[in-house]
Amino acid sequence: MSRVLPPGLPHDEELDAPRPAGAPAPHPPARADHRAPARPEARTAAAARARRRHLIRRSLIIAALSLLALVFAYPFVWLVSASFKPRGEVFDNRLIPETFTWDNYVQVWQAAPLALWLWNTLLVTVLAATTVTLSSAMVAWGFAYFRFRGRGALFGVVLATMMLPGAVTMIPTFLIWNALGFVGTLVPLWAQNIFGSAFYVFLLRQFMLGLPREFFEAARVDGASNWDLFWRIALPLSKPALAVTFVFEVQAVWTDLMRALIYLRDSADYTLPRGLKSLVDAFGFGGEWHWELIVTASVIATVPMIIVFFVAQRQIIHGISAGGVKG
Amino acid sequence: MTAPPVVAASAAPPVDRERGRRRARRRNLGSALLFLSPWLVGFAVFTAWPLIYSVYLSLTDYDVINDPNFVGADNYVELFSDPKVALALGNTLFFTIVQVPLYVLVSLLLALLLNRAGRSAGVFRTVFFLPKMTPPVAVGILFLLLFNGQNGLFNTVLGWFGIDGPSWTTDAAWVKPGLIIMSLWTVGASVIILLAALQAVPDELYDSAKLDGAGFWRQSFSITVPMISPALFFIVVVNTIAGLQTFDEAYTAFFGAGNTTYSNDAALFYVIYLFQQAFEFLHMGYASAMAWVLFALIMVVTAIQILVSRRVVYYEGDDRT
């Protein structure tokens, strides 16, 4: 933050408190910039000018951001607001409904097995995120702690699978689940996660490599087994990275449409994205034009994700910035 | 370097020590494999076998019910003369080529502003990230509503400026531009990656630039952008790969059961056509061939990007610039 200010200028916090004329500059002369004019009066005048310029610039940036934030927030607010509008008014652009009604929520609950879809989604999401976190952590630990021949090459294979487009393995994977008799159930939506996922193995291995090796050597001397090292030391120490993995997978599974389209047959088994799509087909394209119900169901499918975001905001942001810089 | 402890060395005869070490290494490998076993099994069953089988399927006719019927390279030959494949490929390339630069530009602009916003950045960051948490199906629905030709919000706003907006959801020429604009709404994750990169740029660089009288834009383009070019490159590559596999939003808005109103070639992206071939028409062999063509395309595009990046991306401590 201080980067915006030329060196030697007061920071934001100090800008608020007016300094009496003639009072000593907040920074001791030793830290003053070599470019500062010799005479103190000229220096304060220049500083005041720079401060004013800085304030104007900061206000302009905040104004621009506010405008953009409005653009980004609008679709959300509109979506939520539309879910409270009666059928005929859904398409108006008002943010505050002219006629406020809870009716859509009652109706969509009756028109579609939303509670069931919500339950299915929750079940799949929790199972998928828990298993992928635990198994990816195990594999990551295998790569981070043990030294064995071929480790680098094997880890290279893990990284290479990250580049593979899903479309290439999609059809044979479907055939596997089909042969096992699981098509039409929720199993294919989460069970593959038991084997971990390359991206999370990468993420967690990076984190585990940073854990101090002395901890493990000390525990080893005390007679801890490999499993103890992993389960009782590495896992608890990796909590931040595990949280990131869990939240990422929650987001990915909660919003996944394609797998649900491929594997789910019966509307009772639908997850929310699949159910939402079926509502679009039935009430939108099906000629019934009940968009207020589709909008309301969208709100119901989105709100849990928003809650997850607010609860785990810090983890999500840290996880993303860590992943990006390393990539 | 300290001399090896003489006592220990002479206590264990060299043969025994060698054998012991070998045994320890074997034990080590054994425990490692135990920890790696979930991934090893998953890789064999859900990656290696599918890859091999997918190559085989791409050389067959297969409808799930009857056994695969070997047809050689027929699928690939047919694929290159299928006008719908050409259409889907064209749509996808158009979407990606236009969307990725815009996406990067918008996320860069937002990140630059956020980086100068001081304490209020946190609030704005949250607002910009939220769309990323919206299920893509819901984004597709929002697209249909906000870009509605008659009274959608987007055209209403354009109307304030005296612009008569097109019918984004039904006019073939405007479907993709509309989807691209809508996709810019979900730049949140890229913004955060860029913001993290921006905050890692050392202050001294800006201080000396200011000494030379460089203004905001000059500083942005001479210091900021080169310094964060690795993060920019990462975003370009990841979004290109994602763009070439666009599915959810367009499928929600334009395809699916009962959709006769909007069914629209303008939104037929490559993975949508692949999905239809595989799971609606049950042309599993043909779809497998399509998947391999997509794979090749992604490889080529990524390789080109890496080659270009060698000239453009600046890594600290590297003289190549």
Short mmCIF file of all heavy atoms in Angstrom, two decimals, chain A residues 27-48:
data_model
loop_
_atom_site.label_atom_id
_atom_site.label_comp_id
_atom_site.label_asym_id
_atom_site.label_seq_id
_atom_site.Cartn_x
_atom_site.Cartn_y
_atom_site.Cartn_z
N HIS A 27 8.63 12.01 9.89
CA HIS A 27 9.80 11.16 9.71
C HIS A 27 11.06 11.86 10.15
O HIS A 27 11.26 13.02 9.81
CB HIS A 27 9.94 10.74 8.25
CG HIS A 27 8.81 9.88 7.81
ND1 HIS A 27 8.66 8.59 8.23
CD2 HIS A 27 7.75 10.15 7.01
CE1 HIS A 27 7.56 8.09 7.69
NE2 HIS A 27 6.98 9.01 6.95
N PRO A 28 11.91 11.20 10.91
CA PRO A 28 13.17 11.83 11.31
C PRO A 28 14.01 12.15 10.08
O PRO A 28 13.93 11.42 9.08
CB PRO A 28 13.83 10.76 12.18
CG PRO A 28 13.15 9.48 11.83
CD PRO A 28 11.78 9.84 11.40
N PRO A 29 14.76 13.23 10.15
CA PRO A 29 15.53 13.68 8.97
C PRO A 29 16.42 12.59 8.41
O PRO A 29 16.64 12.53 7.21
CB PRO A 29 16.37 14.83 9.52
CG PRO A 29 15.78 15.19 10.84
CD PRO A 29 14.95 14.06 11.31
N ALA A 30 16.90 11.71 9.28
CA ALA A 30 17.80 10.67 8.81
C ALA A 30 17.15 9.82 7.75
O ALA A 30 17.79 9.34 6.82
CB ALA A 30 18.24 9.80 9.98
N ARG A 31 15.81 9.62 7.86
CA ARG A 31 15.12 8.76 6.90
C ARG A 31 14.62 9.55 5.70
O ARG A 31 14.07 8.99 4.77
CB ARG A 31 13.95 8.07 7.59
CG ARG A 31 14.37 6.87 8.43
CD ARG A 31 13.16 6.14 8.94
NE ARG A 31 12.24 5.78 7.86
CZ ARG A 31 10.96 5.53 8.05
NH1 ARG A 31 10.44 5.63 9.24
NH2 ARG A 31 10.19 5.18 7.04
N ALA A 32 14.76 10.90 5.76
CA ALA A 32 14.22 11.72 4.69
C ALA A 32 14.91 11.39 3.38
O ALA A 32 16.08 11.01 3.34
CB ALA A 32 14.38 13.19 5.02
N ASP A 33 14.17 11.57 2.33
CA ASP A 33 14.68 11.24 1.00
C ASP A 33 15.71 12.27 0.57
O ASP A 33 15.60 13.45 0.89
CB ASP A 33 13.49 11.23 0.04
CG ASP A 33 13.91 10.68 -1.28
OD1 ASP A 33 14.21 9.46 -1.34
OD2 ASP A 33 13.95 11.45 -2.24
N HIS A 34 16.69 11.84 -0.18
CA HIS A 34 17.74 12.76 -0.60
C HIS A 34 17.22 13.82 -1.56
O HIS A 34 17.84 14.84 -1.79
CB HIS A 34 18.89 11.99 -1.24
CG HIS A 34 18.47 11.25 -2.47
ND1 HIS A 34 17.83 10.04 -2.42
CD2 HIS A 34 18.58 11.58 -3.77
CE1 HIS A 34 17.58 9.64 -3.65
NE2 HIS A 34 18.02 10.55 -4.48
N ARG A 35 16.04 13.54 -2.16
CA ARG A 35 15.50 14.53 -3.10
C ARG A 35 14.75 15.65 -2.40
O ARG A 35 14.36 16.62 -3.01
CB ARG A 35 14.53 13.84 -4.06
CG ARG A 35 15.20 13.06 -5.14
CD ARG A 35 14.17 12.24 -5.87
NE ARG A 35 13.61 11.22 -5.00
CZ ARG A 35 12.38 10.77 -5.08
NH1 ARG A 35 11.55 11.28 -5.96
NH2 ARG A 35 11.95 9.83 -4.27
N ALA A 36 14.47 15.49 -1.10
CA ALA A 36 13.67 16.48 -0.40
C ALA A 36 14.41 17.82 -0.37
O ALA A 36 15.61 17.87 -0.16
CB ALA A 36 13.41 16.01 1.03
N PRO A 37 13.64 18.92 -0.61
CA PRO A 37 14.28 20.22 -0.58
C PRO A 37 14.89 20.49 0.80
O PRO A 37 14.40 19.96 1.81
CB PRO A 37 13.13 21.19 -0.85
CG PRO A 37 12.04 20.36 -1.41
CD PRO A 37 12.23 18.98 -0.91
N ALA A 38 15.88 21.32 0.83
CA ALA A 38 16.60 21.56 2.07
C ALA A 38 15.73 22.29 3.08
O ALA A 38 15.74 21.99 4.27
CB ALA A 38 17.86 22.37 1.79
N ARG A 39 14.93 23.32 2.61
CA ARG A 39 14.18 24.14 3.55
C ARG A 39 12.91 23.42 3.98
O ARG A 39 12.16 22.92 3.13
CB ARG A 39 13.86 25.50 2.94
CG ARG A 39 15.11 26.42 2.87
CD ARG A 39 14.79 27.70 2.13
NE ARG A 39 14.19 27.45 0.83
CZ ARG A 39 13.05 28.00 0.44
NH1 ARG A 39 12.40 28.82 1.22
NH2 ARG A 39 12.56 27.72 -0.76
N PRO A 40 12.60 23.38 5.30
CA PRO A 40 11.45 22.62 5.79
C PRO A 40 10.13 23.13 5.21
O PRO A 40 9.26 22.32 4.90
CB PRO A 40 11.52 22.80 7.30
CG PRO A 40 12.61 23.77 7.58
CD PRO A 40 13.45 23.90 6.37
N GLU A 41 9.96 24.50 5.06
CA GLU A 41 8.65 25.01 4.57
C GLU A 41 8.38 24.47 3.17
O GLU A 41 7.30 23.96 2.88
CB GLU A 41 8.60 26.54 4.49
CG GLU A 41 9.29 27.35 5.56
CD GLU A 41 10.77 27.45 5.35
OE1 GLU A 41 11.17 28.23 4.48
OE2 GLU A 41 11.53 26.73 6.03
N ALA A 42 9.39 24.54 2.31
CA ALA A 42 9.22 24.08 0.94
C ALA A 42 8.89 22.60 0.94
O ALA A 42 8.08 22.12 0.17
CB ALA A 42 10.49 24.34 0.15
N ARG A 43 9.50 21.92 1.89
CA ARG A 43 9.30 20.49 1.96
C ARG A 43 7.84 20.15 2.31
O ARG A 43 7.22 19.31 1.69
CB ARG A 43 10.23 19.91 3.03
CG ARG A 43 10.33 18.44 2.80
CD ARG A 43 10.95 17.70 3.87
NE ARG A 43 10.26 16.43 3.75
CZ ARG A 43 10.33 15.45 4.59
NH1 ARG A 43 11.05 15.58 5.65
NH2 ARG A 43 9.67 14.36 4.40
N THR A 44 7.29 20.84 3.29
CA THR A 44 5.91 20.57 3.67
C THR A 44 4.96 20.95 2.55
O THR A 44 3.99 20.25 2.30
CB THR A 44 5.50 21.33 4.94
OG1 THR A 44 6.46 22.34 5.19
CG2 THR A 44 5.35 20.41 6.11
N ALA A 45 5.25 22.05 1.85
CA ALA A 45 4.39 22.47 0.74
C ALA A 45 4.38 21.39 -0.34
O ALA A 45 3.32 21.00 -0.83
CB ALA A 45 4.87 23.79 0.17
N ALA A 46 5.57 20.90 -0.67
CA ALA A 46 5.68 19.87 -1.70
C ALA A 46 4.95 18.61 -1.24
O ALA A 46 4.22 17.98 -2.00
CB ALA A 46 7.14 19.57 -1.99
N ALA A 47 5.13 18.30 0.05
CA ALA A 47 4.51 17.10 0.59
C ALA A 47 2.98 17.23 0.54
O ALA A 47 2.28 16.30 0.18
CB ALA A 47 4.97 16.87 2.02
N ALA A 48 2.50 18.43 0.88
CA ALA A 48 1.05 18.65 0.87
C ALA A 48 0.51 18.48 -0.53
O ALA A 48 -0.55 17.87 -0.74
CB ALA A 48 0.74 20.05 1.39
#
